[in-house]
Amino acid sequence: QVQLVESGGGLVQAGGSLRLSCAASGGLLSNYHMAWFRQAPGKEREFVGGIRWSGGKAYTLYGDSVKGRFTISRDVAKNTMYLQMNSLKPEDTAVYYCAAKLGVGVSADMNQYEYWGQGTQVTVSS
């Protein structure tokens, strides 16, 4: 089964950027539908965005709160998924998790994802 490890979190000022990485081992990312979720203190885990591959092409889906600011991509050679976060806001502060699922399509429902990383903290100061 695939193992996922996130990295790249940290402290950044509002308006700044960060890039998170999700390195996979034990399986190829292209065999899974992948997603990023985040969870702020006292809040439910929230869908950030997801990516799937079909016919050699990547298809992405984003949550409304990050659309236009965050971008998901992957590096096939490194078997790694990325989350580029621009124009960060204090409300983006959360622990960010990557997740993987089999089956059909990307889903915003966290319960459909079988595999999770341990999370990486992102803190955006105002």
Side-chain angles (χ1 to χ4, degrees):
Q1 64 184 37
V2 67
Q3 291 86 43
L4 305 173
V5 177
E6 303 96 334
S7 61
L11 174 64
V12 64
Q13 287 189 333
S17 298
L18 276 177
R19 189 179 77 159
L20 305 183
S21 300
C22 173
S25 60
L28 293 176
L29 283 186
S30 54
N31 291 338
Y32 296 83
H33 302 295
M34 303 293 299
W36 287 95
F37 287 81
R38 67 186 182 185
Q39 188 165 19
K43 295 189 176 181
E44 293 186 352
R45 196 163 293 189
E46 175 190 16
F47 175 75
V48 174
I51 188 168
R52 66 177 178 90
W53 292 274
S54 177
K57 186 176 178 180
Y59 297 86
T60 53
L61 175 69
Y62 297 96
D64 289 342
S65 62
V66 305
K67 202 172 294 183
R69 299 187 297 124
F70 291 10
T71 303
I72 296 174
S73 62
R74 69 163 178 170
D75 184 321
V76 174
K78 295 182 178 179
N79 207 29
T80 299
M81 178 178 66
Y82 301 99
L83 179 67
Q84 177 67 44
M85 305 185 294
N86 298 328
S87 302
L88 282 162
K89 306 175 181 180
E91 51 264 43
D92 294 318
T93 295
V95 177
Y96 283 71
Y97 300 89
C98 68
K101 65 183 286 288
L102 297 170
V104 179
V106 171
S107 173
D109 181 359
M110 60 172 286
N111 295 308
Q112 296 196 20
Y113 289 82
E114 297 102 329
Y115 308 103
W116 292 84
Q118 81 290 349
T120 186
Q121 176 71 47
V122 172
T123 303
V124 184
S125 63
S126 57

